[in-house]
Amino acid sequence: MVQQLLDSTITSYEIRDIRFPTSQHLDGSDAMNKDPDYSAAYVIFYTDSKDLEGHGLTFTCGRGNEVVCSAIEQLACKFVNKKLQDLVNDMRATHRICTGDSQLRWIGPEKGVIHLATGAVINAIWDLWAKAVNKPIWKLVADLTPEEFVQCVDFKYITDVITPEEAIVMLREKEATKADREAEMLRDGFPSYTTSAGWLGYSDDKVRRLIREAKEQGFTYFKQKVGSDKEADIRRAAIIREEIGEDGVLMMDANQVWDVEQAIDWMKDLLPFKPLFIEEPTSPDDVLGHATIRKALYPQCAVATGEHIQNRIVFKQLFQAKAIDYCQIDSCRVAGVNEVLAIILMANKFEIPIIPHAGGTFLVEMVQHLSLIDYICVSGTLDRRMLEYVDHLHEHCKTPVQLKNSKVTPPLAPGYSVEMYRQSIEDYTFPTGKIHQKK
């Protein structure tokens, strides 16, 4: 049956502009993104095998989602009439179907809207592959040999840091103990922290209530959005620290709002509240700026970034410049699973822990797979590693993330965990869905 599904041919695709009106309650609000409508540029690949579909998406904050959908159209058409077996036999070459188009590359290269679109399309192909072999993506990758794993990675522009041969050696070192870590995850789950209590637009009372509710769920790590009003940040940090106690861990996130010196000055006033790290303290493109901020704050406060880092090349430079202490991979800001695997390998070489970004539409559903891959296949350690848990919109997924005592239970359903209910697709499609007709 598996081989029969792998022999399937992609026959057509569907693209939807999905938007959720989260700005109504300021869910997801921060210093830069004050009123986001969590959205997904969503693509479905259909095949000639009944019920075998590949679902993928990339995350946006509302307006502009239609632009990404247009870019997806330019890429998705390249996969029609392609046999799934041929695509998965060489996933590096499959990845380059999107990144190697010489004309579309001009509007990147490998960044911006075309790269977001690539992430959606490549994620949908991985979802298709995982469903065909009846495995969740984390298990699909965990069962690959080191050579097969490396064949999924495009090493172009990063061989000065890591080569395919070096990556194979790295993966072989963890081969013998992969089964033990997999069993551990299935038994215990993966640790997580919550951002849901710390959105900038929430009132102090709401933050206090949500922190208490999160503690009842077993959370001991919490994230606060900062950067809009320093006095408000100090007041809010005092509230959170009071609620979580000295044993609780507080992280802060400025969402790129500061200049370099401003970030240093602002954070020095927040250091008394003992933040573990400051996330996105400045422009995601400013590698040396991140390095300057880290040098000024370390070791009292670490630096984290990743959700807006546009590709593996910029991540490489962040690692080389010793600019960050935590690597926050995003499942669809870069070009899907393939490029994330490259970043995980580089992070492991530089001993930078992976803490994925998951504040967005179904991102935690995807990044749970990526953290499991990092732990089981690559790093072999949970030291300084957590998943970000955001408690929004999971009800629209057929296989939503599962949380138990603040730990994420590894998904067992085949695929990438992002397939939406058809009714949700129809209701939230912009601008025709009934949710948008109510406005």
Side-chain angles (χ1 to χ4, degrees):
M1 182 63 179
V2 168
Q3 189 55 54
Q4 181 181 344
L5 291 176
L6 285 171
D7 286 336
S8 301
T9 298
I10 295 173
T11 56
S12 61
Y13 58 88
E14 178 183 6
I15 301 167
R16 290 295 188 105
D17 179 345
I18 307 292
R19 305 190 195 188
F20 297 95
T22 52
S23 62
Q24 292 178 3
H25 302 288
L26 297 180
D27 298 335
S29 56
D30 57 57
M32 183 66 75
N33 308 288
K34 298 184 185 301
D35 58 349
D37 283 328
Y38 276 12
S39 302
Y42 194 89
V43 60
I44 307 169
F45 283 117
Y46 296 103
T47 71
D48 57 3
S49 293
K50 189 172 186 259
D51 298 327
L52 179 61
E53 304 172 358
H55 292 241
L57 63 88
T58 195
F59 166 63
T60 79
C61 285
R63 290 184 298 276
N65 205 45
E66 73 281 8
V67 180
V68 183
C69 288
S70 295
I72 291 174
E73 176 72 40
Q74 296 298 314
L75 298 173
C77 60
K78 296 175 178 293
F79 292 87
V80 174
N81 296 324
K82 291 239 179 341
K83 186 174 286 189
L84 180 58
Q85 183 72 73
D86 294 338
L87 294 172
V88 303
N89 280 346
D90 189 349
M91 283 297 281
R92 185 185 300 163
T94 296
H95 183 258
R96 288 176 177 173
I97 292 173
C98 294
T99 61
D101 183 302
S102 62
Q103 295 186 10
L104 290 175
R105 189 178 184 279
W106 188 261
I107 59 174
E110 296 190 65
K111 57 179 174 281
V113 169
I114 197 66
H115 216 46
L116 289 171
T118 298
V121 169
I122 293 297
N123 286 339
I125 296 297
W126 276 88
D127 184 63
L128 197 58
W129 182 11
K131 288 175 178 172
V133 298
N134 198 36
K135 297 177 182 180
I137 277 181
W138 70 265
K139 179 60 172 169
L140 165 62
V141 176
D143 288 346
L144 297 178
T145 66
E147 291 78 9
E148 290 169 334
F149 184 116
V150 166
Q151 189 56 42
C152 296
V153 177
D154 189 348
F155 286 86
K156 190 173 180 64
Y157 305 129
I158 62 171
T159 53
D160 54 325
V161 161
I162 190 167
T163 64
E165 295 76 19
E166 191 178 358
I168 289 171
V169 172
M170 181 187 294
L171 294 167
R172 282 178 179 165
E173 290 174 353
K174 300 296 188 296
E175 272 288 282
T177 52
K178 278 200 305 188
D180 295 336
R181 289 188 293 280
E182 183 177 325
E184 176 196 354
M185 287 294 97
L186 291 170
R187 182 187 68 242
D188 300 336
F190 201 97
S192 69
Y193 73 90
T194 181
T195 302
S196 298
W199 299 123
L200 200 65
Y202 288 174
S203 68
D204 290 351
D205 288 342
K206 185 172 183 178
V207 168
R208 194 183 290 276
R209 173 175 61 81
L210 291 174
I211 290 287
R212 291 176 180 177
E213 291 175 1
K215 286 174 63 180
E216 290 175 0
Q217 292 179 281
F219 285 104
T220 57
Y221 285 70
F222 306 84
K223 189 156 76 180
Q224 173 191 356
K225 296 291 184 175
V226 298
S228 185
D229 179 326
K230 187 188 288 189
E231 293 308 312
D233 289 346
I234 292 171
R235 184 185 72 250
R236 180 75 57 90
I239 290 171
I240 296 174
R241 180 53 71 191
E242 176 188 343
E243 291 294 333
I244 68 177
E246 289 302 309
D247 292 335
V249 178
L250 174 61
M251 298 162 284
M252 295 179 176
D253 184 0
N255 292 92
Q256 317 157 38
V257 77
W258 296 322
D259 282 358
V260 172
E261 291 302 324
Q262 184 184 18
I264 294 167
D265 292 341
W266 200 297
M267 282 308 300
K268 283 182 176 178
D269 288 335
L270 291 171
L271 289 178
F273 302 101
K274 301 178 182 178
L276 174 66
F277 63 65
I278 177 60
E279 177 179 341
E280 285 202 305
T282 192
S283 166
D285 297 331
D286 191 354
V287 173
L288 297 183
H290 277 83
T292 299
I293 294 166
R294 180 182 182 273
K295 184 177 180 181
L297 298 179
Y298 192 83
Q300 290 174 281
C301 179
V303 171
T305 200
E307 71 181 82
H308 274 82
I309 302 303
Q310 51 200 332
N311 53 44
R312 65 197 178 281
I313 299 97
V314 180
F315 272 108
K316 178 188 75 170
Q317 294 173 358
L318 287 164
F319 299 146
Q320 290 173 313
K322 298 180 180 179
I324 58 173
D325 303 282
Y326 293 91
C327 174
Q328 296 179 301
I329 52 174
D330 185 280
S331 55
C332 45
R333 166 65 59 176
V334 297
V337 176
N338 302 60
E339 192 166 25
V340 170
L341 296 181
I343 297 162
I344 289 174
L345 289 170
M346 288 191 292
N348 188 59
K349 179 173 179 178
F350 284 89
E351 300 182 340
I352 302 295
I354 298 290
I355 299 186
H357 166 247
T361 312
F362 313 137
L363 296 188
V364 67
E365 271 74 19
M366 289 186 279
V367 299
Q368 61 182 332
H369 294 267
L370 305 177
S371 280
L372 288 165
I373 291 167
D374 170 55
Y375 177 53
I376 294 170
C377 304
V378 184
S379 70
T381 179
L382 291 176
D383 180 43
R384 298 182 295 154
R385 284 163 168 82
M386 303 169 271
L387 279 164
E388 179 177 22
Y389 181 76
V390 179
D391 193 16
H392 306 297
L393 306 177
H394 304 298
E395 67 273 16
H396 300 289
C397 272
K398 288 186 176 181
T399 54
V401 64
Q402 298 296 311
L403 194 69
K404 184 177 180 180
N405 296 325
S406 81
K407 291 189 175 182
V408 171
T409 303
L412 301 178
Y416 208 2
S417 306
V418 295
E419 182 171 346
M420 291 178 63
Y421 287 108
R422 174 49 64 170
Q423 192 60 56
S424 291
I425 292 174
E426 299 299 336
D427 289 350
Y428 289 90
T429 291
F430 184 85
T432 57
K434 72 176 186 180
I435 298 300
H436 301 292
Q437 295 300 308
K438 293 178 181 179
K439 291 185 178 180

